Amino acid sequence: MSKTTGFIAELVRAANEVEKLEPYEVSRLFDRSIDTIRDLRAQAGLAGDRRATDVVIDLGIASARVRDLSLEEIRDTLIDAASIIRALRMLVVEGGSGYPRP
């Protein structure tokens, strides 16, 4: 299992057990998600993708105000981060546009 795949699994596991997490743990997962997304975007050649930047900003805000978020908001954000990382990983691994090939 690759490091990225392991992190995706960690995010999903955390989302399923969000009530057991301390705020600092959630914040750390959000911050690691930001770093992973930035790294994968750079590898995929998407460093200037404005939409992806908005995701990074949203995760940064969520990390900063994690104590104000409901368990549902934390769960949703963790799942969103995992989905974004999974999609970016597919772009990097397949080296394609993310669209099915004919």
Side-chain angles (χ1 to χ4, degrees), residues 15-53:
N16 288 330
E17 300 176 345
V18 72
E19 65 282 344
K20 297 178 183 178
L21 300 174
E22 295 294 328
Y24 77 90
E25 293 172 300
V26 175
S27 182
R28 186 167 180 264
L29 287 169
F30 290 164
D31 292 343
R32 286 177 57 203
S33 296
I34 291 168
D35 292 340
T36 303
I37 290 168
R38 284 181 176 155
D39 181 54
L40 289 170
R41 283 176 41 217
Q43 289 179 45
L46 300 173
D49 188 342
R50 186 165 174 83
R51 187 170 140 210
T53 301

Side-chain angles (χ1 to χ4, degrees), residues 1 4 22-23 31-32 56 60 73 85 88 90-91 98 101:
M1 179 183 322
T4 304
E22 295 294 328
D31 292 343
R32 286 177 57 203
V56 169
E73 290 171 317
I85 292 168
L88 286 169
M90 288 175 55
L91 281 175
R101 296 182 182 161

